[in-house]
Amino acid sequence: MESKSYLDMELLRFSTAGSVDDGKSTLIGRMLYDSKSIFQDQYDAIEASSKKKGETSVNLALLTDGLRSEREQGITIDVAYRYFATPKRKFIIADTPGHIQYTRNMVTGASTSNLSIILIDARKGIIEQTYRHTFIASLLGIPHVVFCINKMDLVEYSEETFESIKKDTEAFVSKLGIKDINFIPISALNGDNVVNKSVNMDWYQGGTLLYLLENIHIGSDHNHVDCRFPVQYVIRPQSDEFHDYRGYAGRIAGGVFKPGDKVTALPSGFSSTIKSIDTMAGPVEEAFAPMSVTLTLEDEIDISRGDMIVRENNQPNITQDVDLMVCWLNEKPLQLRGKYAIKHTSNDVRCVVKEIKYKVDINTLHRLEDDKEIKMNDIGRISVRTTKPLFTDEYKRNRATGSLIIIDEATNETVGAGMIL
Amino acid sequence: MQSYNLTHLQELEAEAIYILREVASQFENPALLFSGGKDSIIVAHMARKAFWPGKIPFPLVHVDTGHNFPETIEFRDRFVENIGANLIIGSVQQSIDEGKAIEEKGYNASRNALQTVTLLDTIEEHRFDCAMGGARRDEEKARAKERFFSHRDDFGQWDPKNQRPELWNIFNGKKHMGEHFRVFPISNWTEMDVWQYILHEKIEIPSIYLAHERDVFVRDGVVMSTCDFIEQRDTEQTTRMQVRFRTIGDATCTGAVESNADTIEKIIEEVAAARTTERGTRSDDKRSEAAMEDRKKQGYF
């Protein structure tokens, strides 16, 4: 790597979902291997494990196995994070098991991703889990989805097969409102169109998977329109040098802030002007999501953690009644009229579940109006009433101000993931 | 329209600062584990950034095995003084003297595992409800599944099957009395990211990361520094070599690599070309396939 090229590298977070036989682990292993991101000692370790298990070739899937209990059972239980880089981008892979029991893991992995890779076995075409994975990607607002039609080697690299699966997929995806959809014919096992262009599919004119990951435009994945600054921490040094300094530290959740901007603090509604945007390296002229900065204001107004600084003429919803899609993460089902704690941006409130509207069949995407018991791995629409107002945007418009987690007050466990409607 | 893009280092830094501020907000008495190694140095550096112009609102804690490279300790004391932080030292020697930990014997004796005892004692003594560390998910397969906010029960144990799901950037640090958290602000960084950041931010690091002449011997394929704490076998001849350390841990279990990289730029080139992981020089991980997983369950960082 050129010593200075890292100053232009961007970060892309993507998730992969799949079940046991669709070649997901092989695909990840292939990407790591062909991009030279596997170290010799890691390779030696999995080679030894493969031999011990009596496998004839080195099983690249073992690279993505983490815990002993997983290796013993030959399954992935939890989200595992993998890292690799090319001179253009650094990649974070959230590798999630795709079985229906692990919907909560898929949701977790998808929540921080810019892009989702969904594998389709070329021999089988669209199956139940394709709907499920695509639905979760759309629900979690992942801007880019790449369908990899895998095992093309087993269908004689047939263009007709690829086009037919692509047409079927486009038909159901059109209803889900995903911004950007891509299709690539690959063979993860042989490496066709993963990192290197396939010599077996002249008819495919598009780029390889890695080319797409390196070049897909991610600059507009954050909201740069609606100014939202959840206050995380108040900095008051009270030192001789910074005697009257009062800075509001936080991570920008949307929009672009500049010194001189007229702003309003919520919930108080008091207005002021941004005096400076500070960092230890010096003040900056503008700040945008997802930067961590410190704002100072011209006027002394009372602001603390949980408050939000916004533009006067562009405010979020200020509400105690919140409608949301929820993915349930805990063995104990969601309780109608149950009381829970909520974390939303830097705010902590309590809530009561007022209504369970419907549950979604995540394989057919049908609404189940009669079955309202939301158990672990279920997704449903609910409404809650909070003890204090939240400052929210629609999840579709802003993932940072449109998301919340639900916490069981007795166990302190995170039991639900909510996307605000 | 103007495009608003961050580089990967800016984005990783923004994430780490966000987490440091969450810790300061969500916990009453947090601490930052500081070994004097590069990972804890950059976490401390970002802690300064997170609270500037205020001071870092929590102490640094060093779990001292007593088996250190002298360069590390000298660096640690200077670093802490420069940033005006409060340093607390937990001593493994003291745990041994008090009979809480038992010294390993033999050629491969190491105090690495004993750190867990001292760490948990220090946490209890100072009533820390959160201990932050510089562990990264790319280091080791058990760490690949670690959360940013990792819950520990009242025995300090980690249960990999019962971790809280972590979604978006919302972190749940709620806990019962006696429980605590481990928090890892640079979970998403790789060894390369750390070096690029050190170069970009011009951060000072202990000299033993850079290539230097040193008396060493080879054990099980790992180049070890000669020191008072290690018993050498007769077959393990001392030689002088040009080496550097890729990680800095306890001197008894941290190996060196042959290297001419005497600047950060050269280290970055070396890391880019490296064919082994940095933990390949750590004999503590070689004890079994699940060595790290087992230690973590008991309360290791």
Side-chain angles (χ1 to χ4, degrees):
Chain A
M1 196 176 296
E2 298 287 322
S3 59
K4 287 289 174 201
S5 65
Y6 68 88
L7 293 174
D8 300 321
M9 277 169 67
E10 288 175 323
L11 180 62
L12 175 72
R13 299 169 197 252
F14 67 93
S15 55
T16 56
S19 332
V20 184
D21 294 322
D22 63 7
K24 173 177 65 90
S25 300
T26 313
L27 177 65
I28 293 173
R30 173 59 64 185
M31 269 192 284
L32 298 174
Y33 190 74
D34 283 0
S35 64
K36 302 184 172 54
S37 310
I38 296 178
F39 292 107
Q40 194 62 45
D41 53 340
Q42 288 174 312
Y43 188 82
D44 293 346
I46 62 162
E47 190 177 31
S49 302
S50 302
K51 270 189 193 152
K52 210 157 74 183
K53 290 185 182 166
E55 295 180 28
T56 47
S57 60
V58 174
N59 185 352
L60 289 177
L62 292 175
L63 274 174
T64 59
D65 276 353
L67 306 171
R68 191 201 328 249
S69 40
E70 292 176 330
R71 286 194 299 278
E72 282 163 3
Q73 296 170 46
I75 54 157
T76 321
I77 299 168
D78 204 346
V79 186
Y81 295 89
R82 311 282 156 201
Y83 303 84
F84 74 105
T86 67
K88 276 196 141 157
R89 278 187 179 158
K90 172 191 162 97
F91 300 98
I92 301 178
I93 312 175
D95 178 18
T96 65
H99 195 268
I100 192 159
Q101 292 161 306
Y102 298 118
T103 297
R104 64 179 216 150
N105 289 339
M106 272 187 278
V107 168
T108 302
S111 72
T112 50
S113 295
N114 312 80
L115 180 145
S116 174
I117 294 178
I118 296 172
L119 282 159
I120 299 176
D121 187 328
R123 296 169 303 174
K124 296 180 188 159
I126 297 176
I127 57 171
E128 207 176 74
Q129 69 165 11
T130 318
Y131 293 111
R132 188 162 74 233
H133 297 167
T134 312
F135 173 60
I136 288 170
S138 78
L139 183 73
L140 271 289
I142 296 183
H144 315 278
V145 172
V146 183
F147 291 95
C148 287
I149 319 301
N150 191 23
K151 307 195 180 180
M152 288 300 290
D153 52 316
L154 300 181
V155 295
E156 288 154 359
Y157 300 104
S158 157
E159 178 176 13
E160 208 177 297
T161 305
F162 172 74
E163 287 299 334
S164 151
I165 293 172
K166 183 176 166 186
K167 205 173 125 220
D168 292 350
T169 311
E170 280 170 337
F172 87 83
V173 171
S174 64
K175 297 175 213 147
L176 293 173
I178 297 169
K179 285 182 200 155
D180 174 33
I181 295 161
N182 304 270
F183 295 89
I184 305 178
I186 65 165
S187 163
L189 191 66
N190 300 328
D192 294 80
N193 289 334
V194 178
V195 171
N196 303 312
K197 198 152 174 52
S198 171
V199 293
N200 298 307
M201 291 177 272
D202 295 341
W203 49 264
Y204 174 69
Q205 301 300 316
T208 63
L209 176 59
L210 185 67
Y211 179 86
L212 187 97
L213 294 174
E214 281 187 316
N215 291 284
I216 207 159
H217 178 69
I218 52 173
S220 45
D221 288 357
H222 286 281
N223 178 321
H224 295 309
V225 178
D226 313 304
C227 290
R228 305 284 184 260
F229 186 77
V231 174
Q232 228 190 323
Y233 189 88
V234 181
I235 296 176
R236 299 198 62 193
Q238 294 169 314
S239 58
D240 292 344
E241 195 184 346
F242 296 96
H243 194 266
D244 295 320
Y245 188 94
R246 181 190 275 262
Y248 304 105
R251 194 172 189 189
I252 292 172
V256 181
F257 286 85
K258 296 186 176 77
D261 283 351
K262 291 257 179 257
V263 292
T264 298
L266 300 175
S268 71
F270 290 129
S271 291
S272 185
T273 305
I274 295 179
K275 185 172 165 188
S276 65
I277 304 174
D278 292 343
T279 72
M280 195 170 89
V284 294
E285 283 310 303
E286 60 180 14
F288 49 89
M291 287 169 72
S292 285
V293 294
T294 302
L295 304 185
T296 64
L297 302 179
E298 293 288 357
D299 307 280
E300 268 204 22
I301 51 181
D302 186 26
I303 298 177
S304 54
R305 177 175 167 88
D307 294 358
M308 192 182 280
I309 296 173
V310 301
R311 293 293 293 270
E312 269 179 341
N313 54 3
N314 176 343
Q315 299 202 6
N317 300 311
I318 303 169
T319 178
Q320 287 178 260
D321 291 294
V322 188
D323 274 2
L324 39 106
M325 293 298 288
V326 65
C327 174
W328 204 247
L329 312 169
N330 199 266
E331 279 160 7
K332 195 175 156 199
L334 170 72
Q335 305 292 311
L336 182 62
R337 287 179 295 280
K339 294 191 174 71
Y340 295 94
I342 279 183
K343 276 187 180 285
H344 170 260
T345 66
S346 54
N347 223 332
D348 279 283
V349 299
R350 300 178 68 213
C351 78
V352 57
V353 179
K354 280 196 318 188
E355 190 184 355
I356 299 173
K357 293 191 169 154
Y358 57 82
K359 192 160 108 177
V360 180
D361 181 325
I362 57 171
N363 294 319
T364 61
L365 312 190
H366 291 146
R367 292 177 183 183
L368 308 172
E369 313 262 359
D370 299 330
D371 177 3
K372 293 185 175 174
E373 193 179 18
I374 297 187
K375 300 191 289 282
M376 180 146 89
N377 295 308
D378 285 343
I379 289 167
R381 180 169 170 174
I382 65 171
S383 52
V384 300
R385 168 97 184 160
T386 59
T387 47
K388 284 193 303 180
L390 295 178
F391 320 121
T392 67
D393 292 291
E394 252 183 84
Y395 183 79
K396 279 196 180 120
R397 192 165 173 88
N398 190 324
R399 286 168 93 180
T401 52
S403 55
L404 56 81
I405 60 169
I406 300 172
I407 296 164
D408 184 313
E409 293 188 301
T411 63
N412 290 328
E413 285 176 311
T414 303
V415 292
M419 288 138 283
I420 296 166
L421 295 164
Chain B
M1 195 187 124
Q2 195 186 338
S3 79
Y4 295 103
N5 281 339
L6 297 181
T7 67
H8 76 295
L9 286 181
Q10 288 170 328
E11 195 168 334
L12 290 171
E13 184 196 59
E15 177 179 84
I17 289 176
Y18 172 79
I19 287 162
L20 285 155
R21 288 169 172 170
E22 275 307 288
V23 168
S25 304
Q26 290 198 31
F27 297 97
E28 285 180 12
N29 193 17
L32 172 58
L33 300 176
F34 184 80
S35 66
K38 65 184 190 312
D39 300 319
S40 57
I41 291 170
I42 69 160
V43 177
H45 177 80
M46 289 189 283
R48 282 182 71 200
K49 288 189 150 192
F51 303 102
W52 185 89
K55 286 201 167 166
I56 301 177
F58 36 76
L60 309 190
V61 170
H62 183 212
V63 176
D64 183 357
T65 62
H67 292 173
N68 300 290
F69 297 107
E71 294 93 333
T72 315
I73 296 301
E74 181 262 329
F75 176 88
R76 177 196 75 188
D77 293 342
R78 192 155 38 86
F79 182 88
V80 168
E81 196 185 325
N82 285 346
I83 66 170
N86 175 18
L87 176 72
I88 291 169
I89 297 170
S91 161
V92 173
Q93 185 63 54
Q94 193 182 329
S95 301
I96 293 168
D97 294 345
E98 289 171 1
K100 290 175 179 163
I102 297 166
E103 185 109 65
E104 293 183 358
K105 294 199 169 61
Y107 285 107
N108 285 316
S110 167
R111 290 184 170 179
N112 184 281
L114 308 187
Q115 290 179 90
T116 304
V117 176
T118 310
L119 172 64
L120 293 175
D121 273 359
T122 310
I123 287 172
E124 203 163 313
E125 185 192 334
H126 295 271
R127 299 184 183 278
F128 293 127
D129 55 356
C130 172
M132 284 174 281
R136 311 189 318 265
R137 288 176 181 152
D138 83 318
E139 279 181 87
E140 211 282 335
K141 58 196 170 215
R143 285 192 167 153
K145 309 213 161 174
E146 183 60 281
R147 302 292 192 261
F148 278 94
F149 274 46
S150 178
H151 178 259
R152 302 299 160 105
D153 66 16
D154 40 6
F155 297 99
Q157 298 181 109
W158 181 62
D159 180 1
K161 287 185 194 155
N162 186 25
Q163 298 193 78
R164 292 179 184 174
E166 243 168 31
L167 297 109
W168 300 289
N169 296 310
I170 312 175
F171 297 103
N172 174 5
K174 287 178 187 281
K175 61 187 176 331
H176 292 114
M177 282 290 284
E179 299 172 343
H180 74 276
F181 272 79
R182 302 288 171 85
V183 173
F184 306 103
I186 58 166
S187 290
N188 277 332
W189 297 52
T190 60
E191 183 185 15
M192 179 59 102
D193 297 328
V194 171
W195 284 114
Q196 288 170 346
Y197 188 71
I198 287 169
L199 177 65
H200 185 250
E201 296 281 304
K202 302 183 178 69
I203 299 170
E204 203 196 333
I205 49 164
S207 58
I208 57 173
Y209 277 117
L210 300 169
H212 58 285
E213 293 254 320
R214 197 175 194 95
D215 285 337
V216 295
F217 66 95
V218 177
R219 174 176 292 178
D220 302 333
V222 177
V223 179
M224 305 292 294
S225 175
T226 58
C227 64
D228 299 342
F229 325 118
I230 309 180
E231 245 181 281
Q232 279 171 249
R233 296 185 180 96
D234 296 339
T235 51
E236 295 169 337
Q237 293 299 318
T238 301
T239 52
R240 200 151 177 84
M241 272 164 62
Q242 173 94 347
V243 297
R244 67 175 205 86
F245 290 87
R246 276 178 86 182
T247 69
I248 295 182
D250 185 276
T252 59
C253 65
T254 307
V257 289
E258 259 194 286
S259 170
N260 296 315
D262 54 4
T263 63
I264 308 289
E265 284 91 341
K266 287 185 195 170
I267 290 177
I268 288 175
E269 282 171 31
E270 193 184 277
V271 171
R275 298 304 302 139
T276 55
T277 57
E278 58 184 333
R279 295 204 76 92
T281 60
R282 293 292 284 262
S283 61
D284 45 333
D285 289 344
K286 292 191 169 170
R287 293 189 172 191
S288 88
E289 196 175 8
M292 176 69 89
E293 184 179 341
D294 293 341
R295 276 182 290 151
K296 277 178 68 67
K297 282 179 186 166
Q298 287 159 12
Y300 189 72
F301 15 87

